[in-house]
Every structure is written in structure tokens, then in C-alpha cells.
Amino acid sequence: EAGVAQSPRYKIIEKRQSVAFWCNPISGHATLYWYQQILGQGPKLLIQFQNNGVVDDSQLPKDRFSAERLKGVDSTLKIQPAKLEDSAVYLCASSLLGLFNEQFFGPGTRLTVL
Amino acid sequence: QKEVEQDPGPLSVPEGAIVSLNCTYSNSAFQYFMWYRQYSRKGPELLMYTYSSGNKEDGRFTAQVDKSSKYISLFIRDSQPSDSATYLCAIEGGSEKLVFGKGTKLTVNP
């Protein structure tokens, strides 16, 4: 079974530029998550989708971050414009729908903002 | 007070040692308690999860939950160099939302 795919793996941009990350979840997983993991910290949930609807985006900085999950499968996360403090690993995870289901994580995209 | 507190370490032990990793949490409504392992440059992977107070064992790993003290632990017996990773505690806070600790970086020296 293929895991969660993410691209690109690494990205370096200047502050105020824009960047986009892509995630392809495990086939059949209805729930998709985007996390931000700053160096030395645990992952922090940015947004949670169930199929193509948003369940929780309370910690998403909506003035600069946006995310979509068209057709309930792939998802993109965009930052526009980027700030220095956005340097982090952006992790995508997916899970089956249900009371408790394991979240499977992708390898992440390491973003460096200069 | 943060929802989940975890000592970030780092922790360095010799091969074969018993390792104890701990987290505390603040919200008594939390129901599921998990330990994730994250190797360098990889995403976290679920190691163990528990629902109730008590112990759960899986090979060399034991997860322990004390809901009365809001305290969770992970014990690793006979630690191996391949156990070197960052260990993240995570707690399910409702609606399948996970709240993670900072992670403890463990190095097992051969």
C-alpha cells in the first residue's frame, strides 16, 4: 500500500514570496491533515479536511495561508506572502473516517524562508 | 499551561538500557493517548496508542497512562541503536484532532 506522498521535499524561498505544497493521501482515506512542525517542536495542526470539507482550521493563519482539497483527494497548502517564521516542515497526514483511526504521515516538505 | 508538556531532552543512553519517556497533559477530557516515533527527515509513525488508564505492552515497548495524574509514559526495554529517534506523545483532543508534545530526542549508543 502506497503511503502519503508529498512534494516538493525541500523548498527555499525569499520572504514575501509565495509557495505551494502538494499532498496525495492514502487511497480511501477521507480525512486529511496539514501540520506545521517547527524545529524542536511537535507538529501543530493547521487544517483538517473531511472529504473536501474543512473540519478545523482554527490554527491556520488565514491572512497568509490557504488550503484546498478539491474532489476530496489531493490537497494543496499555499503560503502567500511567506515570513521568516514560516520556516518549518509541513507535514501532511491522512486517516480513515471513524472514532479513532491512525494518522499516517507523509515525509514532509522542509521550507526555508530567507 | 500548555495542553501537553514533554521534556525535550535530549536523552542519550547505552545499548541495552531501559528508557523512560514522559508527558503530562492538562485536559481531563482527552481520551486517546499515543506515542509516535519520528526518524530524522521522516514523518512521524504511530508506535502505540492506549485508551484507558493502565499499561499496554508491545514487544520491548510499554505505554502507561495514569488519568488521575494526567501522566503518560513510554518505556523501552533493551534499547537498540535503531531506537534512536524523536519520540512524540500525542493526545486526541476530540474530532480526531491530535495535540502533540515537543518530542524527546533519544540516542542509543552501541
Side-chain angles (χ1 to χ4, degrees), chain B residues 8-34:
Chain B
L11 192 59
S12 181
V13 302
E15 184 176 351
I18 297 173
V19 176
S20 172
L21 305 168
N22 310 292
C23 288
T24 59
Y25 62 95
S26 58
N27 190 338
S28 58
F30 288 143
Q31 296 187 55
Y32 290 94
F33 307 90
M34 286 142 277

Side-chain angles (χ1 to χ4, degrees), chain A residues 47-63:
Chain A
I47 189 167
Q48 177 184 346
F49 291 96
Q50 187 170 299
N51 295 310
N52 59 349
V54 175
V55 174
D56 185 343
D57 64 355
S58 57
Q59 298 194 92
L60 186 74
K62 297 179 186 65
D63 58 334

Side-chain angles (χ1 to χ4, degrees), chain B:
Chain B
Q1 184 187 12
K2 290 196 173 181
E3 288 189 286
V4 180
E5 299 271 8
Q6 182 176 8
D7 185 344
L11 192 59
S12 181
V13 302
E15 184 176 351
I18 297 173
V19 176
S20 172
L21 305 168
N22 310 292
C23 288
T24 59
Y25 62 95
S26 58
N27 190 338
S28 58
F30 288 143
Q31 296 187 55
Y32 290 94
F33 307 90
M34 286 142 277
W35 287 95
Y36 278 79
R37 179 174 60 194
Q38 186 173 25
Y39 291 113
S40 182
R41 309 276 177 179
K42 303 282 188 183
E45 57 178 347
L46 182 65
L47 196 57
M48 296 184 71
Y49 80 92
T50 58
Y51 176 72
S52 58
S53 282
N55 294 351
K56 183 177 181 179
E57 195 171 312
D58 184 2
R60 297 183 294 108
F61 298 88
T62 300
Q64 190 174 78
V65 175
D66 182 347
K67 284 190 174 182
S68 62
S69 303
K70 301 191 186 72
Y71 195 84
I72 64 172
S73 302
L74 178 71
F75 299 95
I76 307 174
R77 291 185 301 280
D78 188 25
S79 55
Q80 302 295 308
S82 58
D83 295 329
S84 297
T86 295
Y87 290 80
L88 297 152
C89 62
I91 301 178
E92 200 268 343
S95 301
E96 305 169 54
K97 176 181 174 180
L98 294 184
V99 180
F100 284 88
K102 281 188 174 183
T104 301
K105 185 172 183 179
L106 171 67
T107 301
V108 181
N109 301 298

Side-chain angles (χ1 to χ4, degrees), chain A residues 14-31:
Chain A
E14 301 278 337
K15 61 183 178 185
R16 291 187 288 273
Q17 285 187 322
S18 62
V19 65
F21 313 126
W22 174 82
C23 173
N24 182 233
I26 293 173
S27 178
H29 281 194
T31 309

